[in-house]
Amino acid sequence: QQPVQSPQAVILREGEDAVINCSSSKALYSVHWYRQKHGEAPVFLMILLKGGEQKGHDKISASFNEKKQQSSLYLTASQLSYSGTYFCGTERVGSQGNLIFGKGTKLSVKP
Amino acid sequence: DGGITQSPKYLFRKEGQNVTLSCEQNLNHDAMYWYRQDPGQGLRLIYYSQIVNDFQKGDIAEGYSVSREKKESFPLTVTSAQKNPTAFYLCASSIDGGPGGDTQYFGPGTRLTVL
């Protein structure tokens, strides 16, 4: 029931783009994206809601395919500060609102 | 400044001892959560509470206990029954914890090491 994230890890040069995917086998109401630096708290980036409403970060975009229960996070023109582990948290339809998190995607941006 | 505080940042305990992790928020949020994070893993839900004096078990509640006597506080006790308690523990809160995209905000975490 845990969503599957891909890739597990990615290394970029500054200025390059990346896509991180999150896939669930269950019908979803929302997908939440977080970034975590080592030893720190996850920081909220973006929420994608069923029906297409999108909120969040203006330098990072995301999509939510309701038919496939998949979400993708798009990082364009990456900066060193983008380094960290990205987690998706999924809210299943019919649940009480709790999130189930994927195992994360480790992103490293090199100069 | 509104936010979530957790204390202590690092905690060491001997096997067989109970230990309580503190979580306080001044965001006026109704819902609070405890997660456990192990290396290479995602966040796994231990307990959550949507209202004072009420809480529910998450996916890995065995060996843990909580209380919610005040809206702003949600302490977690790691008991001696928890077989592998060494982990990074994260507390979070959200406006009401209901369905429909309620965003969770996290505290800085407590790293617990059992010696």
Side-chain angles (χ1 to χ4, degrees):
Chain A
Q1 294 180 355
Q2 186 177 29
V4 177
Q5 288 187 234
S6 63
Q8 290 184 327
V10 59
I11 299 174
L12 299 175
R13 293 286 182 187
E14 266 188 297
E16 291 182 339
D17 302 340
V19 180
I20 299 172
N21 300 302
C22 175
S23 180
S24 174
S25 60
K26 304 291 185 181
L28 300 178
Y29 190 92
S30 66
V31 180
H32 304 230
W33 286 97
Y34 290 82
R35 177 172 60 215
Q36 185 180 31
K37 304 277 186 179
H38 183 70
E40 299 180 5
V43 174
F44 171 74
L45 294 176
M46 180 85 65
I47 181 172
L48 287 303
L49 300 173
K50 185 178 164 108
E53 187 179 352
Q54 176 177 320
K55 308 176 190 178
H57 210 287
D58 61 356
K59 296 194 173 185
I60 298 173
S61 62
S63 64
F64 179 23
N65 186 324
E66 295 171 39
K67 289 184 179 179
K68 294 186 177 180
Q69 308 306 323
Q70 290 178 348
S71 178
S72 295
L73 187 71
Y74 305 97
L75 305 164
T76 56
S78 60
Q79 306 167 17
L80 295 176
S81 62
Y82 285 6
S83 293
T85 301
Y86 290 77
F87 292 97
C88 67
T90 55
E91 176 190 1
R92 293 196 331 230
V93 171
S95 74
Q96 291 186 327
N98 292 336
L99 300 181
I100 303 173
F101 287 88
K103 291 187 177 183
T105 295
K106 185 173 182 180
L107 179 73
S108 301
V109 181
K110 308 290 185 183
Chain B
D1 282 342
I4 303 172
T5 57
Q6 291 185 242
S7 60
K9 188 172 177 64
Y10 298 96
L11 187 56
F12 298 89
R13 94 158 202 214
K14 294 182 180 179
E15 272 193 59
Q17 289 181 336
N18 292 355
V19 64
T20 297
L21 281 59
S22 168
C23 177
E24 304 275 335
Q25 56 96 2
N26 61 3
L27 299 168
N28 200 32
H29 285 174
D30 284 324
M32 297 186 74
Y33 311 80
W34 274 105
Y35 291 92
R36 170 184 172 136
Q37 187 175 32
D38 295 285
Q41 302 296 316
L43 285 70
R44 292 184 291 167
L45 184 64
I46 304 172
Y47 269 97
Y48 64 101
S49 169
Q50 293 175 308
I51 195 169
V52 173
N53 292 323
D54 189 42
F55 46 82
Q56 287 77 41
K57 293 181 179 180
D59 299 322
I60 55 166
E62 186 175 351
Y64 300 97
S65 66
V66 293
S67 63
R68 187 85 187 276
E69 297 177 1
K70 298 187 296 182
K71 183 175 181 177
E72 57 271 21
S73 178
F74 191 40
L76 173 74
T77 297
V78 184
T79 75
S80 56
Q82 168 51 233
K83 300 299 182 189
N84 187 20
T86 294
F88 189 45
Y89 290 87
L90 288 159
C91 178
S93 71
S94 66
I95 292 175
D96 59 21
D102 194 25
T103 300
Q104 295 183 21
Y105 297 94
F106 287 84
T110 292
R111 188 165 298 279
L112 173 64
T113 303
V114 175
L115 305 172

